[in-house]
Amino acid sequence: MPTPGVDLVAGAAVGYLVRKARRVSADGAADQVLDENMDALHELVSGAVGDDPALTRLLEQAGDGEVTERTTRRATDAIADMAEEDPAFATELAASVDRLQRHEAGLAPYNGIGAARDLRAETGGVVVAGNVSGGVTTGHHPSRPGPHEG
């Protein structure tokens, strides 16, 4: 039975594999964390899918600068098929893609921030998601002045 969302994760993995192949030949400042995570994804997928022609063609085309829609679709299907056959690979793949997406979004790796009491952001914004209990308020907290107040 198909696993819900596996095609989306596989598609995201293909996108990162294409970017990795293109970055290998690119000059300029590299993001070390992004590169390390893309390398880990590449090793994970290559280890699971092996010498699948679709993956080989994807990496070749990405290195040349032009990836066809057909190649993208075939590589996505190969990765999704393996994820459906191997639950451990599916779990590792989802975690690897999640790490890359969280890094690019500027979010904390892994589990983010946990707070047992109050959490206050002095600048920027806060996104509250997941298992939230207790009250969530926004705006000025009357008991403490902000950074630009007395």
Side-chain angles (χ1 to χ4, degrees):
M1 175 158 88
T3 306
V6 74
D7 289 330
L8 293 175
V9 172
V14 165
Y16 284 114
L17 291 172
V18 168
R19 286 181 56 197
K20 180 196 179 312
R22 288 181 178 162
R23 286 173 68 97
V24 167
S25 61
D27 290 333
D31 180 332
Q32 183 177 353
V33 174
L34 183 63
D35 286 341
E36 288 171 0
N37 282 313
M38 283 197 283
D39 288 344
L41 175 66
H42 181 260
E43 289 176 23
L44 173 67
V45 171
S46 295
V49 178
D51 293 330
D52 187 291
L55 185 60
T56 302
R57 181 169 291 138
L58 176 78
L59 298 175
E60 288 172 357
Q61 288 182 0
D64 293 340
E66 177 93 23
V67 179
T68 67
E69 183 179 326
R70 182 177 187 194
T71 297
T72 300
R73 186 178 61 249
R74 286 182 171 179
T76 300
D77 288 346
I79 294 169
D81 287 347
M82 182 54 67
E84 288 176 344
E85 291 174 21
D86 183 350
F89 169 68
T91 300
E92 289 182 54
L93 180 66
S96 183
V97 168
D98 182 62
R99 277 190 300 276
L100 283 159
Q101 290 174 335
R102 291 182 66 76
H103 174 72
E104 287 193 309
L107 299 174
Y110 310 114
N111 294 325
I113 299 171
R117 298 262 316 138
D118 297 332
L119 176 64
R120 181 174 182 192
E122 296 292 334
T123 60
V126 176
V127 175
V128 179
N131 188 5
V132 178
S133 61
V136 176
T137 60
T138 60
H140 177 71
H141 191 285
S143 66
R144 295 192 185 144
H148 303 292
E149 300 171 18

